Coordinates of all heavy atoms in Angstrom, one line a residue:
M131 N -84.2 -48.5 46.7 CA -83.4 -49.4 46.0 C -83.2 -48.8 44.6 O -84.2 -48.3 44.0 CB -84.0 -50.7 46.0 CG -83.3 -51.8 45.3 SD -84.0 -53.5 45.3 CE -85.4 -53.5 46.4
F132 N -81.9 -48.7 44.1 CA -81.6 -48.1 42.9 C -80.9 -49.1 42.0 O -80.0 -49.9 42.4 CB -80.7 -46.9 43.1 CG -81.3 -45.9 44.0 CD1 -81.0 -45.8 45.3 CD2 -82.2 -44.9 43.5 CE1 -81.5 -44.9 46.2 CE2 -82.7 -43.9 44.3 CZ -82.4 -43.9 45.6
Y133 N -81.2 -49.0 40.6 CA -80.5 -49.9 39.7 C -80.3 -49.1 38.4 O -81.3 -48.6 37.8 CB -81.3 -51.2 39.4 CG -80.6 -52.0 38.4 CD1 -79.4 -52.7 38.7 CD2 -81.1 -52.1 37.1 CE1 -78.8 -53.5 37.7 CE2 -80.5 -52.9 36.1 CZ -79.3 -53.6 36.4 OH -78.7 -54.3 35.5
F134 N -79.1 -49.0 37.9 CA -78.8 -48.3 36.6 C -78.8 -49.4 35.5 O -78.2 -50.4 35.7 CB -77.5 -47.6 36.6 CG -77.5 -46.3 37.4 CD1 -77.2 -46.3 38.8 CD2 -77.9 -45.1 36.8 CE1 -77.3 -45.1 39.5 CE2 -78.0 -44.0 37.5 CZ -77.6 -44.0 38.9
S135 N -79.4 -49.1 34.4 CA -79.4 -49.9 33.2 C -79.3 -49.0 32.0 O -80.3 -48.3 31.7 CB -80.6 -50.8 33.1 OG -80.6 -51.6 31.9
K136 N -78.2 -49.0 31.3 CA -78.0 -48.2 30.1 C -78.3 -46.7 30.5 O -77.6 -46.1 31.3 CB -78.7 -48.7 28.9 CG -78.3 -50.1 28.5 CD -79.0 -50.5 27.2 CE -78.5 -51.9 26.9 NZ -79.2 -52.5 25.8
N137 N -79.4 -46.2 29.9 CA -79.7 -44.8 30.1 C -80.9 -44.6 31.0 O -81.6 -43.6 31.0 CB -80.1 -44.1 28.7 CG -78.8 -44.0 27.9 OD1 -77.7 -43.8 28.4 ND2 -79.0 -44.1 26.6
D138 N -81.1 -45.5 31.9 CA -82.3 -45.5 32.8 C -81.8 -45.8 34.3 O -80.9 -46.5 34.5 CB -83.3 -46.5 32.4 CG -84.0 -46.2 31.1 OD1 -84.4 -45.1 30.9 OD2 -84.0 -47.1 30.3
L139 N -82.5 -45.2 35.2 CA -82.4 -45.5 36.6 C -83.7 -46.0 37.1 O -84.7 -45.4 37.0 CB -82.0 -44.2 37.4 CG -82.0 -44.4 38.9 CD1 -81.0 -45.4 39.4 CD2 -81.8 -43.0 39.6
F140 N -83.7 -47.3 37.6 CA -84.9 -47.9 38.1 C -84.9 -47.7 39.6 O -83.8 -48.0 40.3 CB -84.9 -49.4 37.7 CG -86.0 -50.2 38.2 CD1 -87.3 -49.8 37.8 CD2 -85.9 -51.2 39.1 CE1 -88.4 -50.6 38.3 CE2 -86.9 -51.9 39.6 CZ -88.2 -51.6 39.2
V141 N -86.0 -47.2 40.2 CA -86.0 -46.9 41.6 C -87.2 -47.7 42.2 O -88.3 -47.6 41.7 CB -86.2 -45.4 41.8 CG1 -86.3 -45.1 43.3 CG2 -85.1 -44.6 41.2
I142 N -87.0 -48.3 43.3 CA -88.1 -48.9 44.1 C -88.0 -48.2 45.5 O -87.0 -48.4 46.2 CB -88.0 -50.4 44.3 CG1 -87.9 -51.1 43.0 CG2 -89.1 -50.9 45.2 CD1 -87.7 -52.6 43.1
D143 N -89.0 -47.4 45.8 CA -89.0 -46.6 47.1 C -90.0 -47.3 48.0 O -91.1 -47.5 47.6 CB -89.4 -45.2 46.7 CG -89.2 -44.2 47.9 OD1 -88.5 -44.6 48.9 OD2 -89.7 -43.1 47.9
Y144 N -89.6 -47.5 49.2 CA -90.5 -48.3 50.1 C -90.3 -47.7 51.5 O -89.3 -47.1 51.9 CB -90.2 -49.8 50.1 CG -88.7 -50.1 50.3 CD1 -88.2 -50.3 51.5 CD2 -87.9 -50.2 49.2 CE1 -86.9 -50.6 51.7 CE2 -86.6 -50.5 49.3 CZ -86.0 -50.7 50.6 OH -84.7 -50.9 50.7
D145 N -91.3 -48.0 52.4 CA -91.2 -47.6 53.8 C -90.3 -48.6 54.5 O -90.4 -49.9 54.3 CB -92.6 -47.6 54.4 CG -93.5 -46.5 53.9 OD1 -92.9 -45.5 53.5 OD2 -94.7 -46.7 53.9
L146 N -89.4 -48.1 55.4 CA -88.6 -49.0 56.2 C -89.4 -49.5 57.4 O -90.4 -48.8 57.8 CB -87.4 -48.3 56.7 CG -86.4 -47.8 55.7 CD1 -85.3 -47.0 56.3 CD2 -85.8 -49.0 55.0
Y147 N -89.1 -50.7 57.9 CA -89.8 -51.2 59.1 C -88.8 -51.9 59.9 O -87.6 -52.1 59.5 CB -91.0 -52.1 58.7 CG -90.6 -53.3 57.8 CD1 -90.2 -54.5 58.4 CD2 -90.7 -53.2 56.4 CE1 -89.9 -55.5 57.6 CE2 -90.4 -54.3 55.6 CZ -90.0 -55.5 56.2 OH -89.7 -56.5 55.4
D148 N -89.2 -52.3 61.1 CA -88.3 -53.0 62.0 C -87.9 -54.3 61.4 O -88.7 -55.2 61.1 CB -89.0 -53.2 63.4 CG -88.1 -53.9 64.4 OD1 -87.1 -54.5 64.1 OD2 -88.5 -53.7 65.6
P149 N -86.6 -54.6 61.2 CA -86.1 -55.9 60.6 C -86.7 -57.1 61.3 O -86.8 -58.2 60.7 CB -84.6 -55.8 60.7 CG -84.3 -54.3 60.8 CD -85.5 -53.7 61.6
K150 N -87.0 -57.0 62.6 CA -87.6 -58.1 63.3 C -88.9 -58.5 62.8 O -89.4 -59.7 63.0 CB -87.8 -57.8 64.8 CG -86.5 -57.5 65.6 CD -86.8 -57.0 67.0 CE -85.5 -56.6 67.6 NZ -85.7 -55.9 68.9
E151 N -89.6 -57.7 62.0 CA -90.9 -58.0 61.3 C -90.7 -58.7 60.0 O -91.7 -58.9 59.3 CB -91.7 -56.7 61.2 CG -92.1 -56.1 62.5 CD -92.8 -54.8 62.3 OE1 -92.6 -54.1 61.3 OE2 -93.6 -54.4 63.2
T152 N -89.5 -58.9 59.6 CA -89.2 -59.6 58.3 C -89.6 -61.1 58.4 O -89.2 -61.7 59.5 CB -87.8 -59.4 57.9 OG1 -87.5 -58.1 57.8 CG2 -87.5 -60.1 56.5
H153 N -90.2 -61.7 57.5 CA -90.5 -63.1 57.5 C -89.2 -63.9 57.6 O -88.2 -63.6 57.0 CB -91.3 -63.5 56.2 CG -91.8 -64.9 56.3 ND1 -91.0 -66.0 55.9 CD2 -93.0 -65.4 56.6 CE1 -91.7 -67.1 56.1 NE2 -93.0 -66.7 56.5
Q154 N -89.3 -64.9 58.5 CA -88.1 -65.8 58.7 C -87.6 -66.4 57.4 O -88.4 -66.8 56.6 CB -88.5 -66.9 59.6 CG -87.4 -67.8 60.0 CD -87.8 -68.9 61.0 OE1 -88.9 -69.1 61.3 NE2 -86.8 -69.6 61.5
G155 N -86.3 -66.3 57.1 CA -85.7 -66.8 55.9 C -85.7 -65.8 54.8 O -85.3 -66.1 53.7
Q156 N -86.2 -64.6 55.0 CA -86.2 -63.6 53.9 C -85.6 -62.3 54.5 O -85.4 -62.2 55.7 CB -87.6 -63.2 53.5 CG -88.3 -64.4 52.7 CD -89.7 -64.0 52.2 OE1 -90.4 -63.3 52.9 NE2 -90.0 -64.3 51.0
G157 N -85.3 -61.4 53.6 CA -84.8 -60.1 53.9 C -85.8 -59.0 53.5 O -86.7 -59.3 52.8
M158 N -85.6 -57.8 54.0 CA -86.5 -56.7 53.6 C -86.4 -56.5 52.1 O -87.4 -56.4 51.5 CB -86.2 -55.4 54.4 CG -87.1 -54.3 54.1 SD -86.7 -52.7 54.9 CE -86.7 -53.2 56.6
I159 N -85.2 -56.6 51.6 CA -85.0 -56.6 50.2 C -84.1 -57.8 49.8 O -83.3 -58.2 50.6 CB -84.4 -55.3 49.6 CG1 -83.0 -55.1 50.3 CG2 -85.3 -54.1 49.9 CD1 -82.2 -54.0 49.6
E160 N -84.4 -58.3 48.6 CA -83.6 -59.4 48.1 C -83.2 -59.2 46.7 O -84.1 -58.7 45.9 CB -84.3 -60.7 48.3 CG -84.6 -61.1 49.7 CD -85.3 -62.5 49.9 OE1 -85.5 -63.1 48.9 OE2 -85.5 -62.9 51.0
L161 N -82.0 -59.5 46.3 CA -81.5 -59.3 44.9 C -81.0 -60.6 44.4 O -80.3 -61.3 45.1 CB -80.3 -58.3 44.9 CG -80.5 -56.9 45.7 CD1 -79.2 -56.2 45.7 CD2 -81.6 -56.1 45.0
Y162 N -81.4 -60.9 43.2 CA -81.0 -62.1 42.5 C -80.4 -61.7 41.2 O -81.1 -60.9 40.4 CB -82.1 -63.1 42.3 CG -82.7 -63.5 43.6 CD1 -83.9 -62.9 44.1 CD2 -82.2 -64.6 44.4 CE1 -84.5 -63.3 45.3 CE2 -82.8 -65.0 45.6 CZ -83.9 -64.3 46.0 OH -84.5 -64.7 47.2
N163 N -79.3 -62.2 40.8 CA -78.7 -61.9 39.5 C -78.2 -63.2 38.9 O -77.4 -63.9 39.5 CB -77.5 -60.9 39.7 CG -77.0 -60.4 38.3 OD1 -77.7 -60.5 37.3 ND2 -75.8 -59.9 38.3
E164 N -78.7 -63.5 37.7 CA -78.3 -64.8 37.1 C -77.9 -64.4 35.6 O -78.6 -63.7 34.9 CB -79.5 -65.8 37.0 CG -79.1 -67.1 36.4 CD -80.2 -68.1 36.5 OE1 -80.9 -68.1 37.5 OE2 -80.4 -68.8 35.5
V165 N -76.7 -64.9 35.2 CA -76.2 -64.7 33.9 C -75.9 -66.0 33.3 O -75.1 -66.8 33.9 CB -75.0 -63.7 33.8 CG1 -74.5 -63.5 32.4 CG2 -75.4 -62.4 34.5
N166 N -76.3 -66.3 32.1 CA -76.0 -67.6 31.5 C -74.7 -67.5 30.7 O -74.1 -66.4 30.6 CB -77.2 -68.1 30.6 CG -77.4 -67.3 29.4 OD1 -76.6 -66.5 28.9 ND2 -78.6 -67.4 28.8
S167 N -74.3 -68.6 30.0 CA -73.0 -68.6 29.3 C -73.0 -67.7 28.1 O -71.9 -67.4 27.6 CB -72.7 -70.1 28.9 OG -73.7 -70.5 28.0
K168 N -74.2 -67.2 27.6 CA -74.2 -66.3 26.5 C -74.2 -64.8 26.9 O -74.2 -63.9 26.1 CB -75.5 -66.5 25.7 CG -75.6 -67.9 25.1 CD -77.0 -68.0 24.4 CE -77.1 -69.4 23.8 NZ -78.5 -69.5 23.1
G169 N -74.1 -64.7 28.3 CA -74.1 -63.3 28.8 C -75.5 -62.7 29.0 O -75.6 -61.5 29.3
E170 N -76.5 -63.5 28.7 CA -77.9 -63.0 28.9 C -78.2 -63.2 30.4 O -77.8 -64.1 31.0 CB -78.8 -63.9 28.1 CG -78.5 -63.9 26.6 CD -79.2 -65.0 25.8 OE1 -79.5 -66.0 26.4 OE2 -79.6 -64.7 24.7
G171 N -78.9 -62.2 30.9 CA -79.2 -62.3 32.3 C -80.5 -61.9 32.8 O -81.4 -61.4 32.0
L172 N -80.8 -62.1 34.0 CA -82.0 -61.7 34.7 C -81.6 -61.1 36.1 O -80.8 -61.7 36.8 CB -82.9 -63.0 34.9 CG -84.1 -62.7 35.8 CD1 -85.1 -61.9 35.1 CD2 -84.7 -64.1 36.3
L173 N -82.1 -60.0 36.3 CA -82.0 -59.3 37.6 C -83.3 -59.2 38.3 O -84.3 -58.7 37.7 CB -81.3 -57.9 37.5 CG -81.2 -57.1 38.8 CD1 -80.2 -57.8 39.7 CD2 -80.8 -55.7 38.5
E174 N -83.4 -59.7 39.5 CA -84.7 -59.7 40.2 C -84.5 -58.9 41.5 O -83.6 -59.1 42.3 CB -85.2 -61.1 40.6 CG -86.5 -61.1 41.3 CD -87.0 -62.5 41.6 OE1 -86.4 -63.5 41.1 OE2 -87.9 -62.6 42.4
L175 N -85.3 -57.8 41.7 CA -85.2 -57.0 42.8 C -86.5 -57.2 43.6 O -87.6 -56.9 43.1 CB -85.1 -55.5 42.4 CG -84.0 -55.2 41.4 CD1 -84.1 -53.7 41.0 CD2 -82.6 -55.4 42.1
E176 N -86.5 -57.6 44.8 CA -87.7 -57.9 45.6 C -87.7 -57.1 46.8 O -86.7 -56.9 47.5 CB -87.7 -59.4 46.0 CG -87.9 -60.4 45.0 CD -88.1 -61.8 45.5 OE1 -88.1 -62.0 46.7 OE2 -88.1 -62.7 44.7
Y177 N -88.9 -56.6 47.2 CA -89.2 -55.9 48.4 C -90.2 -56.8 49.2 O -91.2 -57.2 48.6 CB -89.8 -54.5 48.2 CG -90.4 -54.0 49.5 CD1 -89.6 -53.5 50.5 CD2 -91.8 -53.9 49.6 CE1 -90.2 -52.9 51.6 CE2 -92.3 -53.4 50.8 CZ -91.5 -52.9 51.8 OH -92.1 -52.4 52.9
H178 N -90.0 -57.1 50.4 CA -90.9 -57.9 51.2 C -91.5 -57.0 52.3 O -90.7 -56.3 53.1 CB -90.2 -59.1 51.9 CG -89.7 -60.0 50.9 ND1 -90.5 -61.0 50.3 CD2 -88.5 -60.2 50.3 CE1 -89.8 -61.7 49.5 NE2 -88.6 -61.2 49.5
S179 N -92.8 -56.9 52.4 CA -93.4 -56.1 53.4 C -93.3 -56.8 54.8 O -92.9 -58.0 54.9 CB -94.9 -55.9 53.1 OG -95.6 -57.2 53.2
P180 N -93.6 -56.1 55.9 CA -93.5 -56.8 57.2 C -94.4 -58.0 57.2 O -95.5 -58.0 56.5 CB -94.0 -55.7 58.2 CG -94.0 -54.4 57.4 CD -94.1 -54.7 56.0
C181 N -94.1 -58.9 58.0 CA -94.9 -60.2 58.2 C -95.5 -60.1 59.6 O -94.7 -60.1 60.6 CB -94.0 -61.4 58.1 SG -94.9 -62.9 58.2
K182 N -96.8 -60.0 59.7 CA -97.5 -59.9 61.0 C -98.7 -60.8 61.0 O -99.3 -60.9 60.0 CB -97.9 -58.4 61.3 CG -96.8 -57.4 61.4 CD -97.4 -56.1 61.7 CE -96.3 -55.1 61.9 NZ -96.8 -53.7 62.2
K183 N -99.0 -61.4 62.1 CA -100.2 -62.1 62.3 C -101.4 -61.1 62.4 O -101.3 -60.3 63.3 CB -100.1 -63.1 63.5 CG -101.4 -63.9 63.7 CD -101.2 -64.9 64.8 CE -102.5 -65.7 65.0 NZ -102.4 -66.6 66.1
L184 N -102.4 -61.3 61.6 CA -103.5 -60.4 61.6 C -104.7 -61.2 62.1 O -105.0 -62.3 61.8 CB -103.8 -59.8 60.2 CG -102.7 -59.0 59.6 CD1 -103.1 -58.6 58.2 CD2 -102.4 -57.8 60.4
E185 N -105.5 -60.5 62.9 CA -106.8 -61.0 63.4 C -107.8 -60.6 62.4 O -107.7 -59.7 61.6 CB -107.1 -60.4 64.8 CG -106.0 -60.8 65.9 CD -105.9 -62.3 66.1 OE1 -106.9 -63.0 66.0 OE2 -104.8 -62.7 66.5
P186 N -109.0 -61.3 62.4 CA -110.1 -61.0 61.5 C -110.4 -59.5 61.7 O -110.5 -58.9 62.8 CB -111.2 -61.8 62.0 CG -110.6 -63.0 62.7 CD -109.3 -62.5 63.3
G187 N -110.5 -58.8 60.5 CA -110.9 -57.4 60.5 C -109.6 -56.5 60.5 O -109.8 -55.3 60.2
Q188 N -108.5 -57.0 60.8 CA -107.2 -56.2 60.8 C -106.7 -56.2 59.3 O -107.0 -57.0 58.5 CB -106.2 -56.7 61.7 CG -106.5 -56.6 63.2 CD -105.4 -57.1 64.0 OE1 -104.8 -58.2 63.8 NE2 -105.0 -56.3 65.0
S189 N -105.8 -55.2 59.1 CA -105.2 -55.1 57.8 C -103.7 -54.6 57.9 O -103.4 -54.1 59.0 CB -105.9 -54.2 56.8 OG -105.9 -52.9 57.4
L190 N -103.0 -54.8 56.9 CA -101.6 -54.4 56.8 C -101.4 -53.7 55.5 O -101.8 -54.2 54.5 CB -100.7 -55.6 56.9 CG -99.2 -55.4 56.8 CD1 -98.6 -54.6 58.0 CD2 -98.4 -56.7 56.7
T191 N -100.8 -52.5 55.5 CA -100.5 -51.8 54.3 C -99.0 -51.6 54.1 O -98.3 -51.3 55.1 CB -101.1 -50.4 54.4 OG1 -102.5 -50.5 54.6 CG2 -100.9 -49.6 53.2
A192 N -98.6 -51.9 52.9 CA -97.2 -51.6 52.6 C -97.2 -50.8 51.3 O -97.8 -51.1 50.3 CB -96.4 -53.0 52.3
K193 N -96.5 -49.6 51.4 CA -96.5 -48.7 50.3 C -95.1 -48.8 49.6 O -94.1 -48.7 50.2 CB -96.6 -47.2 50.8 CG -98.0 -47.0 51.4 CD -98.1 -45.6 51.9 CE -99.5 -45.4 52.6 NZ -99.6 -44.0 53.1
V194 N -95.2 -49.0 48.2 CA -94.1 -49.2 47.4 C -94.3 -48.3 46.1 O -95.4 -48.4 45.5 CB -93.8 -50.6 47.0 CG1 -92.6 -50.8 46.1 CG2 -93.7 -51.5 48.2
Q195 N -93.3 -47.6 45.8 CA -93.4 -46.8 44.5 C -92.3 -47.2 43.6 O -91.1 -47.2 44.0 CB -93.3 -45.3 44.8 CG -93.4 -44.4 43.5 CD -93.4 -43.0 43.8 OE1 -93.9 -42.5 44.9 NE2 -93.0 -42.2 42.9
W196 N -92.6 -47.5 42.4 CA -91.7 -47.9 41.3 C -91.5 -46.8 40.3 O -92.5 -46.2 39.9 CB -92.1 -49.2 40.6 CG -92.4 -50.4 41.5 CD1 -93.1 -50.5 42.6 CD2 -91.8 -51.7 41.2 NE1 -93.1 -51.7 43.1 CE2 -92.3 -52.5 42.2 CE3 -91.0 -52.2 40.2 CZ2 -92.0 -53.8 42.3 CZ3 -90.7 -53.6 40.3 CH2 -91.2 -54.4 41.4
S197 N -90.3 -46.4 40.0 CA -90.1 -45.3 39.0 C -89.0 -45.7 38.1 O -88.0 -46.4 38.4 CB -89.7 -44.0 39.8 OG -90.6 -43.7 40.7
L198 N -89.1 -45.2 36.8 CA -88.1 -45.3 35.8 C -87.7 -43.9 35.4 O -88.5 -43.2 34.9 CB -88.6 -46.1 34.6 CG -87.5 -46.5 33.6 CD1 -86.4 -47.4 34.2 CD2 -88.2 -47.2 32.4
I199 N -86.4 -43.5 35.7 CA -85.9 -42.2 35.5 C -84.9 -42.2 34.3 O -84.0 -43.1 34.3 CB -85.2 -41.6 36.7 CG1 -86.1 -41.8 38.0 CG2 -84.8 -40.2 36.6 CD1 -87.4 -41.0 37.9
K200 N -85.0 -41.2 33.4 CA -84.0 -41.1 32.3 C -82.7 -40.7 33.0 O -82.6 -39.8 33.8 CB -84.5 -40.1 31.3 CG -83.7 -40.1 30.0 CD -84.1 -41.3 29.3 CE -83.4 -41.3 27.9 NZ -83.5 -42.6 27.3
Y201 N -81.6 -41.4 32.6 CA -80.3 -41.0 33.1 C -79.3 -40.9 31.9 O -79.2 -41.9 31.1 CB -79.8 -42.1 34.0 CG -78.3 -41.9 34.5 CD1 -78.0 -40.9 35.4 CD2 -77.3 -42.7 34.0 CE1 -76.7 -40.7 35.8 CE2 -76.0 -42.6 34.4 CZ -75.7 -41.6 35.3 OH -74.4 -41.4 35.7
E202 N -78.7 -39.8 31.7 CA -77.8 -39.5 30.6 C -76.4 -39.4 31.0 O -75.5 -38.9 30.3 CB -78.3 -38.4 29.8 CG -79.7 -38.6 29.2 CD -80.2 -37.4 28.4 OE1 -79.6 -36.4 28.4 OE2 -81.3 -37.7 27.8
G203 N -76.0 -39.8 32.3 CA -74.7 -39.6 32.8 C -73.8 -40.8 32.3 O -74.2 -41.7 31.6
S204 N -72.6 -40.9 32.9 CA -71.7 -42.0 32.6 C -72.0 -43.2 33.4 O -72.9 -43.2 34.2 CB -70.3 -41.5 32.9 OG -70.0 -41.6 34.3
T205 N -71.3 -44.3 33.1 CA -71.5 -45.5 33.8 C -70.5 -45.6 35.0 O -70.5 -46.6 35.7 CB -71.2 -46.7 32.9 OG1 -69.9 -46.6 32.4 CG2 -72.2 -46.8 31.8
E206 N -69.8 -44.5 35.3 CA -68.9 -44.5 36.5 C -69.7 -44.5 37.8 O -70.6 -43.6 37.9 CB -68.0 -43.2 36.4 CG -67.0 -43.2 35.3 CD -66.0 -44.4 35.3 OE1 -65.6 -44.7 36.4 OE2 -65.8 -45.0 34.3
Q207 N -69.4 -45.3 38.7 CA -70.1 -45.5 39.9 C -70.2 -44.1 40.7 O -71.3 -43.8 41.2 CB -69.5 -46.6 40.8 CG -70.3 -46.8 42.1 CD -69.7 -47.9 42.9 OE1 -68.6 -48.3 42.7 NE2 -70.5 -48.5 43.8
E208 N -69.1 -43.4 40.8 CA -69.1 -42.1 41.5 C -70.1 -41.2 41.0 O -70.8 -40.5 41.7 CB -67.7 -41.5 41.5 CG -67.6 -40.3 42.4 CD -66.1 -39.8 42.4 OE1 -65.2 -40.6 42.8 OE2 -65.9 -38.7 42.0
E209 N -70.2 -41.1 39.6 CA -71.2 -40.2 39.0 C -72.6 -40.6 39.2 O -73.5 -39.8 39.5 CB -70.9 -40.0 37.5 CG -71.8 -39.0 36.9 CD -71.4 -38.7 35.4 OE1 -70.2 -38.8 35.0 OE2 -72.3 -38.3 34.6
Q210 N -72.8 -41.9 39.2 CA -74.2 -42.5 39.5 C -74.6 -42.2 40.9 O -75.7 -41.8 41.1 CB -74.2 -44.0 39.2 CG -74.0 -44.3 37.7 CD -73.9 -45.8 37.4 OE1 -73.6 -46.6 38.3 NE2 -74.3 -46.1 36.2
I211 N -73.7 -42.4 41.8 CA -74.0 -42.1 43.3 C -74.3 -40.6 43.4 O -75.3 -40.2 44.1 CB -72.9 -42.6 44.2 CG1 -72.8 -44.1 44.2 CG2 -73.1 -42.0 45.6 CD1 -71.6 -44.7 44.9
E212 N -73.6 -39.7 42.8 CA -73.8 -38.3 42.9 C -75.2 -38.0 42.3 O -75.9 -37.2 42.9 CB -72.7 -37.5 42.1 CG -72.8 -36.0 42.3 CD -71.7 -35.3 41.6 OE1 -70.6 -35.9 41.3 OE2 -71.9 -34.1 41.3
F213 N -75.6 -38.6 41.2 CA -76.9 -38.4 40.6 C -78.0 -38.8 41.6 O -79.0 -38.0 41.8 CB -77.0 -39.2 39.3 CG -78.3 -39.0 38.6 CD1 -78.6 -37.9 37.8 CD2 -79.3 -40.0 38.8 CE1 -79.8 -37.8 37.2 CE2 -80.5 -39.9 38.1 CZ -80.8 -38.8 37.3
I214 N -77.9 -39.9 42.2 CA -78.9 -40.4 43.2 C -78.9 -39.4 44.4 O -80.0 -39.1 44.8 CB -78.5 -41.8 43.7 CG1 -78.7 -42.8 42.5 CG2 -79.4 -42.2 44.9 CD1 -78.2 -44.2 42.8
N215 N -77.8 -39.1 44.9 CA -77.7 -38.2 46.1 C -78.4 -36.8 45.8 O -79.2 -36.3 46.6 CB -76.3 -38.0 46.6 CG -75.8 -39.1 47.4 OD1 -76.6 -39.8 48.0 ND2 -74.5 -39.4 47.3
K216 N -78.1 -36.3 44.6 CA -78.7 -35.0 44.3 C -80.2 -35.1 44.0 O -81.0 -34.3 44.4 CB -78.0 -34.4 43.0 CG -76.7 -33.8 43.3 CD -76.1 -33.2 42.1 CE -74.7 -32.6 42.4 NZ -74.1 -32.1 41.1
K217 N -80.6 -36.1 43.3 CA -82.0 -36.3 42.9 C -82.9 -36.7 44.1 O -84.0 -36.3 44.2 CB -82.1 -37.4 41.8 CG -83.5 -37.6 41.3 CD -83.5 -37.4 39.8 CE -84.9 -37.6 39.2 NZ -85.5 -36.3 38.8
Y218 N -82.4 -37.6 44.9 CA -83.2 -38.1 46.0 C -82.9 -37.7 47.4 O -83.8 -37.8 48.3 CB -83.2 -39.7 45.9 CG -83.9 -40.2 44.7 CD1 -83.2 -40.4 43.5 CD2 -85.3 -40.3 44.7 CE1 -83.9 -40.9 42.4 CE2 -85.9 -40.8 43.6 CZ -85.2 -41.0 42.4 OH -85.9 -41.4 41.3
F219 N -81.7 -37.2 47.6 CA -81.4 -36.9 49.0 C -80.9 -35.4 49.1 O -80.5 -35.0 50.2 CB -80.3 -37.8 49.5 CG -80.7 -39.3 49.4 CD1 -80.0 -40.1 48.5 CD2 -81.7 -39.8 50.2 CE1 -80.4 -41.4 48.4 CE2 -82.1 -41.1 50.1 CZ -81.4 -41.9 49.2
N220 N -80.9 -34.7 48.0 CA -80.4 -33.3 48.0 C -79.0 -33.1 48.7 O -78.8 -32.2 49.4 CB -81.4 -32.3 48.7 CG -82.7 -32.3 47.9 OD1 -82.7 -32.2 46.7 ND2 -83.8 -32.3 48.7
R221 N -78.1 -34.0 48.3 CA -76.8 -34.0 48.9 C -75.8 -33.7 47.8 O -75.9 -34.2 46.7 CB -76.4 -35.3 49.5 CG -77.3 -35.7 50.7 CD -76.9 -37.1 51.2 NE -77.8 -37.5 52.3 CZ -78.0 -38.7 52.6 NH1 -77.4 -39.7 52.0 NH2 -78.8 -39.0 53.6
N222 N -74.8 -32.9 48.1 CA -73.7 -32.6 47.2 C -72.4 -32.7 48.0 O -72.2 -31.8 48.8 CB -73.9 -31.2 46.6 CG -72.8 -31.0 45.5 OD1 -71.8 -31.7 45.4 ND2 -73.0 -30.0 44.7
Y223 N -71.7 -33.7 47.8 CA -70.5 -34.0 48.6 C -69.3 -33.2 48.1 O -68.2 -33.3 48.6 CB -70.2 -35.5 48.7 CG -71.3 -36.2 49.4 CD1 -72.1 -37.1 48.7 CD2 -71.4 -36.0 50.8 CE1 -73.1 -37.8 49.4 CE2 -72.4 -36.7 51.5 CZ -73.3 -37.6 50.8 OH -74.2 -38.2 51.5
N224 N -69.4 -32.5 46.9 CA -68.3 -31.8 46.4 C -68.1 -30.4 46.9 O -67.2 -29.7 46.6 CB -68.4 -31.8 44.8 CG -68.3 -33.2 44.2 OD1 -67.5 -34.0 44.8 ND2 -68.9 -33.4 43.2
N225 N -69.1 -29.9 47.6 CA -69.1 -28.5 48.2 C -68.7 -28.5 49.6 O -68.9 -29.4 50.4 CB -70.4 -27.8 48.0 CG -70.7 -27.6 46.5 OD1 -69.8 -27.5 45.7 ND2 -72.0 -27.4 46.2

């Protein structure tokens, strides 16, 4: 999950799992964005691990890595997507 804010890129990297394992009424990821009349806002980015019934002695592990990356590019969506693709997926769609 990626989010640009001014000169930063916020990244939440997580393991994918079968969507059937998502808790009822939730999604694997959830985004909430609230802005008041003054233009002040709150953005909430949530990752939910799989929901499984565990027996005594069992465990469940969910790995999540949060990163804040310096970004000095423009606010143009195309340039931001290109930055993500090069940095995280080694893709260059211009060649």
